[in-house]
Amino acid sequence: MKDRRVVVISVLAVMMTLFHLAAASPFWIAPNLVLRGVHLLFAVIIGILMFPARTRFFPRWVDGALMALGILCIGYAVVEHQAISVRPPWTLEASPFELFVALGAIVVVLEVTRRSLGMTITGLCLAFIAYAFVGPYLRFVDWLRPLAHRGVGINEFVDQMYFSFEGIFGTALGVSAEYIFLFVMFGAVLQVAGGGDFFINLTRAATGASRGGPAKMAVIASGLMGMMSGSSVANVATTGSLTIPMMKKLGYPARFAGAVEAIASTGGQITPPIMGAAAFLMAAILGRDYLEIASAALVPALLFFAALLIAVHFTALKSDLAPLEEGERGSTWATFKAGWTFIIPVAVIIGMMLKGYTASFSAFFGVLATLAVPFLRRSTFITLPRLVTGIKLGVQGAVIVAAACASAGIIVGIVQISGLGFRFSALVTDIAGNNLDAALFLAMIASFIFGMGMPTTPAYIVQATLVAPVLIKLGADPLAAHFFVFYYAVLGQVTPPLAVAAYAAAPIAGETPSRVGWSAFALGIPVYIIPFLFVANTELLAPQLTPEFLATVLRSLVAIGALSIMIVGWIGGTRLPVVGRALLLGVAALMIHPDLTTTLAGLALAAAIYAVQRWRAKGEARARGDALKEGA
C-alpha cells in the first residue's frame, strides 16, 4: 500500500510539474483562477497522500472522502473560473451549494495545513475565523474593545474567502503557483543532480586553509544551498550532516557547531539571487519586480554572513583551532572543473532577470536548464528514476508552501473584511507614541509572536498584513518596512523557544535542541540589528557605489562586527572583560543612525578597546614568558 502511494505521488508530481511548466511557457497563458485552483488541487491531493490519516480518530476512508471533497470544492472554482471572476462582491446571496463548496474548500485547506505544518498556523486561522464572527461582542470586554468590529455575515465571509482573489485564491497562492513552485523545483532537481555536493565541496576547498575553516564552510555553503532549498530545516539537514561533524572534529563545542549551522542555514532564505519563498510574496505585495527585491537583499545578506564569519573566526582564534589538513579540503580548481556545469542554471535565471524577463519566465528556462545540465557530461549523468525523485522532492516542498499560502490567504482576507489592520495599526501607534524607533521594537516583538513556530512564508504574510503598514504609517520606507518583517520572519526559525532550525541541527550535533537554540540565538544577536540598520539607512537596500553608500556599509560592518566580537569575547589576542563587552555594545548603538558625531565617537571607542586589548595581550605574553623562565 505504501509503495503504491509513493508511485501515485511520483506520477502526480510529474503531472503537476508539467502543468506548471506549460503555464509558465510562452505558449499558454492560464487564467489566474485556473492556475491557482489547479495548483491548490494538486497540492491538496498530494498533501493528503504525503500525510495520511494515522490515528483511530481518522480511519483510512477519511483520506478518500477528503480528496473527493477537495476535488469537488476546489475543482468547482476551476470549472467556473469565468463566472467567479466577474461575480459582483457581496451583492449576491450564496446558494446552498455555493456555501457548501466554499466552506468545504476551507475545511480541506485547513486539514492539509494541519497535517503538513501542524496546529500553529491552523490554530491561528481558526482564531481569525472566530474573530470574524465574534468581533462585535468584543466591545463588552474592556481590554479587547479596541479590536471590536461590526461583524461579518456568512455570505460576506464565503465571498471573501472563496469567490474573490482576497482569500484562499489570493495573492499568496498566486505567487506560490506562478513563482515559488518553479524555483522550488529548480532547487530540488539541481540538488539531486549533484549541485548541492558541488557547492559544498567548492566551499570546503576555498575555506579549508583558514582558521576555523569548517565553520566558515558551514556559513558560506548554507548561503549557497539556500538558493536550492529555500528551507532552513532542509538546509541544516543537507549541509549540517557534513559541516557539524567537521566542526566538532576541529575542536568547536557541539552546541556551537549546531548553532553555526542553524543560523547560517536560516540565512539562506535572505540570500539573492534566489531567495526564500516569502521574497516572491514581497515582490507581489509591493508591486515591484523580483530583481529589485533581490538587489535590495544583497547588502543585508552580506552583512548577515559577515556577522557570522566574524564570530566563527574570532571563536577559532579564541580556541586556537587549526585549519583543515590539505587532504581533507581538496583543490578549489579541481572541484570547480569537475562540476562547473551546475552554475549554468543559476546563470540562466540571473541573466534572464537582468535582461528584464519576469521571474516566472526566467524560472521556466532555469528549470529546463536544470533538467538538461546533468546530461551534458558523463560524470554528472543521472538516471530517469533519480530525476523523478528530484521532481518528487521539489513538489513535496512546494505542496507545503501552497498549503501555507492558502491558509495565510484566510488570515489576510479576514484582516481586510474586519478592519483589523487599521485597529492594530492604531493600537501600536498609540503605544509607540508616534515614535518610529519604538514602533520598530514593538514590531520586532510582534514578529516573533506571529512567527513563533510558523514557516517563514505564512509568518511573513501575517506580518506584512498587520505589522508592516504600521511602520509605513510612521514614516518607514515601504521596502524597508517589508524587509524588516521579512527578516524577523526568517529569524523566527532560530529564535527560542520554538527554534525549528536548531531542532534540526541538535541531533546531528549530539546536543539538546534548547542548548543549540539558545546558542544560535546568542550567535545571531548581531544579525538581529540588521533590520534596524536598513530602516535607518535605506541606502543599504539600494546599492550604488557612492561615498555615502560605502560609508554606510562601513558603519554597518563596524556595528555588527562589534556585536559579534562582544558575543565571542575575544579580540586583540586576549579575552574581552565584561566592561569591554559593554563598551562594544555601545559602539554598535552609536553606529546605527547616520550621524557624523556618533559615528566618529563609535570608531574612536572601538579603536580604544582594541588598543587596550593589545596592551593586555602583550602584558599576558610577558607574564607567561617570565613564568617560563622561572620554571626553567
Side-chain angles (χ1 to χ4, degrees):
M1 184 72 181
K2 184 177 180 182
D3 291 340
R4 188 188 305 168
R5 189 169 64 245
V6 170
V7 171
V8 173
I9 291 174
S10 300
V11 171
L12 289 173
V14 172
M15 291 172 61
M16 187 177 185
T17 302
L18 292 174
F19 168 78
H20 280 83
L21 287 174
S25 73
F27 309 111
W28 179 45
I29 300 177
N32 275 339
L33 196 52
V34 171
L35 176 61
R36 298 176 189 187
V38 173
H39 176 70
L40 181 59
L41 188 54
F42 269 118
V44 162
I45 295 173
I46 295 173
I48 294 169
L49 291 170
M50 284 170 56
F51 306 100
R54 293 176 180 172
T55 69
R56 61 189 179 88
F57 299 105
F58 291 95
R60 285 184 179 180
W61 61 263
V62 169
D63 286 347
L66 199 63
M67 278 190 206
L69 185 64
I71 292 170
L72 172 64
C73 297
I74 300 171
Y76 177 81
V78 176
V79 173
E80 298 294 330
H81 69 275
Q82 290 182 325
I84 293 174
S85 297
V86 298
R87 179 189 175 97
W90 307 337
T91 57
L92 298 176
E93 185 170 339
S95 68
F97 181 73
E98 289 174 330
L99 287 174
F100 174 78
V101 295
L103 296 176
I106 293 171
V107 169
V108 170
V109 165
L110 290 179
E111 174 58 15
V112 172
T113 303
R114 184 195 67 80
R115 293 188 185 191
S116 58
L117 292 166
M119 275 303 299
T120 304
I121 184 172
T122 310
L124 191 63
C125 288
L126 292 173
F128 271 84
I129 291 172
Y131 172 72
F133 293 104
V134 304
Y137 306 103
L138 298 182
R139 67 179 183 273
F140 300 116
V141 183
D142 289 342
W143 60 282
L144 291 175
R145 189 172 293 138
L147 300 178
H149 60 86
R150 61 176 176 79
V152 176
I154 187 65
N155 283 296
E156 185 180 3
F157 175 75
V158 299
D159 212 273
Q160 182 81 357
M161 292 298 107
Y162 186 89
F163 293 103
S164 76
F165 289 107
E166 306 296 337
I168 290 175
F169 301 109
T171 300
L173 187 65
V175 171
S176 175
E178 192 172 348
Y179 305 112
I180 295 174
F181 179 88
L182 292 173
F183 279 97
V184 171
M185 184 58 56
F186 164 85
V189 175
L190 186 62
Q191 190 169 332
V192 167
D197 292 337
F198 166 70
F199 286 120
I200 291 175
N201 292 335
L202 186 66
T203 306
R204 176 170 54 187
T207 62
S210 63
R211 300 281 289 271
K216 294 173 184 175
M217 170 192 165
V219 172
I220 298 171
S222 295
L224 293 173
M225 288 294 292
M227 67 183 176
M228 284 184 277
S229 70
S231 163
S232 303
V233 174
N235 239 357
V236 170
T238 305
T239 59
S241 58
L242 177 64
T243 59
I244 291 175
M246 289 179 68
M247 282 188 270
K248 290 175 66 178
K249 180 181 177 182
L250 196 66
Y252 283 106
R255 65 177 176 179
F256 183 85
V260 168
E261 182 58 47
I263 188 78
S265 292
T266 298
Q269 294 189 62
I270 52 99
T271 307
I274 302 168
M275 302 161 64
F280 295 95
L281 287 164
M282 190 193 309
I285 292 170
L286 289 172
R288 303 197 183 191
D289 188 74
Y290 174 74
L291 186 61
E292 184 180 351
I293 302 298
S295 300
L298 179 61
V299 175
L302 292 175
L303 293 175
F304 184 103
F305 288 104
L308 299 184
L309 288 171
I310 291 169
V312 299
H313 178 72
F314 278 94
T315 301
L317 296 179
K318 180 180 179 180
S319 304
D320 195 24
L321 303 180
L324 281 176
E325 295 180 6
E326 188 172 350
E328 288 184 280
R329 60 179 184 258
S331 165
T332 305
W333 174 242
T335 304
F336 177 79
K337 206 163 57 167
W340 65 269
T341 50
F342 291 116
I343 299 175
I344 293 175
V346 181
V348 167
I349 287 181
I350 296 173
M352 291 192 67
M353 285 197 293
L354 288 174
K355 283 185 172 290
Y357 292 103
T358 64
S360 60
F361 196 64
S362 303
F364 168 74
F365 285 99
V367 171
L368 293 183
T370 306
L371 294 171
V373 156
F375 303 104
L376 295 179
R377 305 172 69 185
R378 184 175 295 275
S379 59
T380 59
F381 189 88
I382 61 172
T383 61
L384 185 61
R386 186 169 175 80
L387 186 62
V388 172
T389 298
I391 292 173
K392 186 176 73 172
L393 288 173
V395 167
Q396 288 175 342
V399 161
I400 295 173
V401 174
C405 287
S407 294
I410 295 173
I411 295 173
V412 172
I414 290 171
V415 168
Q416 291 178 346
I417 58 175
S418 67
L420 178 61
F422 296 106
R423 290 172 176 80
F424 185 83
S425 176
L427 193 61
V428 173
T429 303
D430 288 343
I431 296 173
N434 287 315
N435 183 288
L436 179 58
D437 288 333
L440 287 172
F441 180 77
L442 291 174
M444 178 182 70
I445 302 301
S447 296
F448 289 148
I449 294 172
F450 287 132
M452 191 177 294
M454 289 173 63
T456 303
T457 302
Y460 166 71
I461 294 171
V462 174
Q463 293 162 37
T465 305
L466 290 177
V467 181
V470 183
L471 304 181
I472 296 170
K473 180 181 177 181
L474 291 176
D477 178 79
L479 183 60
H482 278 267
F483 258 105
F484 186 92
V485 297
F486 170 55
Y487 256 66
Y488 285 119
V490 171
L491 290 174
Q493 305 293 293
V494 287
T495 303
L498 299 174
V500 292
Y503 274 79
I508 305 174
E511 264 287 6
T512 63
S514 61
R515 284 167 66 88
V516 173
W518 285 108
S519 295
F521 176 73
L523 185 65
I525 282 176
V527 171
Y528 283 79
I529 73 160
I530 292 176
F532 289 89
L533 285 169
F534 59 63
V535 171
N537 307 272
T538 53
E539 57 268 30
L540 290 175
L541 300 178
Q544 295 177 345
L545 291 179
T546 62
E548 293 80 9
F549 170 75
L550 295 175
T552 302
V553 172
L554 179 61
R555 251 188 323 105
S556 302
L557 282 171
V558 172
I560 63 169
L563 284 177
S564 293
I565 294 168
M566 179 198 77
I567 296 299
V568 175
W570 180 275
I571 188 175
T574 187
R575 289 182 180 275
L576 189 65
V578 174
V579 174
R581 293 189 180 203
L583 291 174
L584 280 178
L585 182 61
V587 170
L590 289 169
M591 291 291 163
I592 291 179
H593 286 286
D595 182 85
L596 182 61
T597 303
T598 57
T599 299
L600 292 176
L603 291 173
L605 183 56
I609 293 169
Y610 181 75
V612 169
Q613 285 294 106
R614 291 294 300 161
W615 175 76
R616 290 182 67 239
K618 289 178 181 178
E620 291 173 0
R622 283 194 300 270
R624 285 194 298 269
D626 292 342
L628 287 173
K629 288 179 183 178
E630 290 178 7

